[in-house]
């Protein structure tokens, strides 16, 4: 096990009845990073988080979180982590402020310290104006932000976020993303599960792609994108005549579409390639209206690796 890893997983297996959910997972999460576990519903993401956060015992393998074994030292693990799941776990019969103070007291903060820390977090998550309202009057996005705030009351060094933005509107999702980025800057290790490709692309330092209970790829977002063919240069022309001149000037355009006057040429968009293409268009008298560089997305990566989208139907897992 690495001394620099906040989470180290080796040979993790888990079955429920005859259904194998995790089939030999290996993961290493460096301290102070955001690690994204990406996959469709039913891939095993939530089960992985539940094992890492001591809620479910593994069938086989070894899991070490913050230096503690999740089976033999579960209490020690629970003392250094926080978990925010897909659904807010706050008490809707209490106000936002009362939820914060209650959780602070459960973490052995004095009443005054719990109030100070709660007020700080409510302000941070744009909930200060609603601190005296019952949580049952909160919107879904407000509840999710309060859930995250409650989980940070004890300043945990390691945070598990299990699909934290599922069902949120774009504004609430943006707020959650900004919160995660701020926590990462403060040195908190964040383990994030998601089926949203944009979320993993924006937040994660490293990503593991999981499908059918197995990790099928791991690396930085850029490394994963670079592993998939499909980069191209897209030229869009001002008129049909320019488009036809461009097609004639190119030996083999990979893809041309007269409907939107666009030609796509395979390539990485390096300066030499772009210059050569523009020189060729200029010589052919084809006026280029717009040039775009297209790189593979995480969706392309997932499709290439699994043959299906991250939005496959299935049971949560």
């Amino acid at each position: 096990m690495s001394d620099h890893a906040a989470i180290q997983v080796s040979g993790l297996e888990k079955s429920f009845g005859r259904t194998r959910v995790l089939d030999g997972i290996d993961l290493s999460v460096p301290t102070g990073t955001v690690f994204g576990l990406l996959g469709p519903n039913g891939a095993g993401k939530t089960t992985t988080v539940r094992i890492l956060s001591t809620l479910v015992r593994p069938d086989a393998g070894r899991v070490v979180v913050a230096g503690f074994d999740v089976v033999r030292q579960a209490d020690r693990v629970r003392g250094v982590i926080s978990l925010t799941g897909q659904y807010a776990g706050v008490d809707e019969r209490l106000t936002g402020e009362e939820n914060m103070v209650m959780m602070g007291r459960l973490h052995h903060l004095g009443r005054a310290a719990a109030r100070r820390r709660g007020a700080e977090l409510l302000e941070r998550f744009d909930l200060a104006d609603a601190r005296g309202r019952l949580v049952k009057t909160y919107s879904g996005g407000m509840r999710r932000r309060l859930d995250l705030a409650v989980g940070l009351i004890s300043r945990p060094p390691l945070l598990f976020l299990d699909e934290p933005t599922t069902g949120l509107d774009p504004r609430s999702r943006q707020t959650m993303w900004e919160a995660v980025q701020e926590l990462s800057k403060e040195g908190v290790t964040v383990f994030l599960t998601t089926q949203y490709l944009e979320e993993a692309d924006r937040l994660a330092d490293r990503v593991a792609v999981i499908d059918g209970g197995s990790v099928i790829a791991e690396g930085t977002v850029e490394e994963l994108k670079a592993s998939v063919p499909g980069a191209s240069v897209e030229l869009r022309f001002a008129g049909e005549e320019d488009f036809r001149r461009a097609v004639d000037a190119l030996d083999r355009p990979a893809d041309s579409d007269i409907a939107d006057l666009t030609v796509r040429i395979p390539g990485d968009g390096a300066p030499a390639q772009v210059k050569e293409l523009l020189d060729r268009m200029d010589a052919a008298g084809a006026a280029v209206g717009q040039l775009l560089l297209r790189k593979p997305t995480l969706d392309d990566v997932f499709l290439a690796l699994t043959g299906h989208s991250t939005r496959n139907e299935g049971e949560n897992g």
Side-chain angles (χ1 to χ4, degrees):
M1 297 292 177
S2 170
D3 293 336
H4 302 291
I7 300 170
Q8 196 83 15
V9 179
S10 178
L12 179 60
E13 297 180 10
K14 183 63 184 179
S15 296
F16 294 103
R18 296 182 178 180
T19 303
R20 177 66 65 91
V21 179
L22 298 177
D23 192 14
I25 297 288
D26 297 324
L27 294 172
S28 181
V29 180
T31 298
T33 63
V34 179
F35 188 92
L37 190 62
L38 177 67
N41 288 338
K45 304 187 302 297
T46 294
T47 299
T48 300
V49 168
R50 287 175 177 168
I51 290 173
L52 268 55
S53 57
T54 76
L55 297 178
V56 173
R57 290 176 65 93
D59 294 337
R62 189 181 180 206
V63 180
V64 175
V65 174
F68 304 115
D69 187 283
V70 299
V71 175
R72 294 184 293 103
Q73 299 169 294
D75 287 344
R76 301 293 298 274
V77 173
R78 293 175 193 136
V80 295
I81 67 171
S82 177
L83 169 63
T84 296
Q86 298 175 32
Y87 307 101
V90 292
D91 191 333
E92 66 176 18
R93 297 167 298 179
L94 301 178
T95 67
E97 184 176 40
E98 288 169 341
N99 268 280
M100 298 300 298
V101 172
M102 178 184 68
M103 187 57 64
R105 298 290 284 157
L106 289 173
H107 281 278
H108 310 294
L109 295 179
R111 183 169 294 276
R115 286 187 180 280
R116 284 196 301 271
R117 178 63 174 162
E120 171 192 327
L121 289 167
L122 290 171
E123 182 71 34
R124 178 174 186 172
F125 288 97
D126 196 24
L127 292 168
D129 291 343
R131 65 183 181 276
R133 286 170 45 191
L134 295 178
V135 172
K136 67 182 180 181
T137 69
Y138 283 18
S139 67
M142 292 171 69
R143 291 187 188 203
R144 198 67 59 80
R145 298 203 306 274
L146 179 62
D147 197 26
L148 182 55
V150 163
L152 296 174
I153 196 82
S154 63
R155 292 184 169 87
L158 205 160
L159 178 64
F160 291 102
L161 298 177
D162 187 20
E163 301 197 23
T165 63
T166 297
L168 294 187
D169 61 85
R171 182 175 179 275
S172 295
R173 183 172 293 140
Q174 178 71 29
T175 300
M176 289 290 286
W177 288 353
E178 291 171 357
V180 172
Q181 289 171 325
E182 285 300 313
L183 289 168
S184 178
K185 290 177 183 177
E186 294 170 6
V188 176
T189 303
V190 180
F191 189 97
L192 168 76
T193 75
T194 183
Q195 58 178 317
Y196 295 119
L197 299 155
E198 182 186 2
E199 189 161 87
D201 201 344
R202 175 160 175 177
L203 297 178
D205 298 301
R206 292 185 66 81
V207 171
V209 181
I210 185 172
D211 190 42
S214 299
V215 173
I216 56 176
E218 184 179 350
T220 67
V221 169
E222 291 306 315
E223 287 171 347
L224 293 179
K225 290 178 181 179
S227 70
V228 175
S232 65
V233 179
E234 182 177 291
L235 302 178
R236 187 164 295 170
F237 296 91
E240 187 173 322
E241 186 61 32
D242 293 305
F243 171 81
R244 295 189 183 282
R245 288 173 182 169
V247 171
D248 291 341
L250 294 168
D251 298 330
R252 280 189 193 173
D255 185 18
S256 60
D257 187 346
I258 194 170
D260 61 5
L261 304 176
T262 298
V263 173
R264 298 173 186 84
I265 302 96
D268 59 3
Q273 181 192 21
V274 172
K275 182 178 183 303
E276 190 271 337
L277 281 172
L278 293 178
D279 286 346
R280 206 186 253 199
M281 296 301 99
D282 188 53
V288 177
Q290 187 177 33
L291 183 149
L292 297 172
L293 302 181
R294 299 288 188 189
K295 293 186 177 181
T297 65
L298 278 179
D299 202 12
D300 296 324
V301 172
F302 203 89
L303 285 167
L305 291 171
T306 70
H308 57 77
S309 165
T310 57
R311 297 305 184 83
N312 264 12
E313 295 298 324
E315 296 299 322
N316 286 344

